[in-house]
Amino acid sequence: FFFFFHKVFFAGRLDTMAAILNEEQQQRLTDEKVKLRIANERYLRSHPEIKLLAAEFTKAVLLHRPADLNAFAADFFTDPTLKDRIVALLK
């Protein structure tokens, strides 16, 4: 079930697949979704730098409007000064 859940969840077809599950499977799927959301929320709350990273990246994209977003993202997230900039923002 766990493999099935992840395969379906990450394929983005939860609603479609839910229609073919029996009641017990649907309840287990719902329970797993709730557990995943709680785990994700706990992780995000324990790592405030994630919001800063996303905000800084979005700000840089909108400022520079790169034609090649993939290359821009690679450069942005491999910048050796990124960690220090984010740490400074957290203070």
Side-chain angles (χ1 to χ4, degrees):
F1 175 76
F2 189 75
F3 174 76
F4 173 78
F5 168 74
H6 280 281
K7 185 176 179 182
V8 172
F9 180 81
F10 289 114
R13 300 179 302 183
L14 282 177
D15 294 332
T16 303
M17 295 305 291
I20 62 171
L21 299 176
N22 67 36
E23 192 173 319
E24 179 185 343
Q25 291 169 325
Q26 178 60 46
Q27 184 58 51
R28 288 182 9 211
L29 178 61
T30 300
D31 293 346
E32 290 297 321
K33 286 170 50 179
V34 169
K35 287 178 191 176
L36 181 61
R37 286 181 183 165
I38 290 169
N40 288 345
E41 182 64 29
R42 285 183 179 146
Y43 183 81
L44 290 172
R45 286 179 187 214
S46 68
H47 294 280
E49 67 274 17
I50 293 173
K51 285 185 181 181
L52 285 173
L53 279 167
E56 289 299 303
F57 177 69
T58 301
K59 185 168 51 173
V61 166
L62 295 175
L63 179 66
H64 299 285
R65 300 190 184 272
D68 185 346
L69 188 57
N70 289 331
F72 185 84
D75 290 341
F76 180 87
F77 287 107
T78 58
D79 180 346
T81 67
L82 180 60
K83 181 179 179 181
D84 292 336
R85 289 186 290 140
I86 296 301
V87 168
L89 291 171
L90 284 169
K91 294 180 179 180

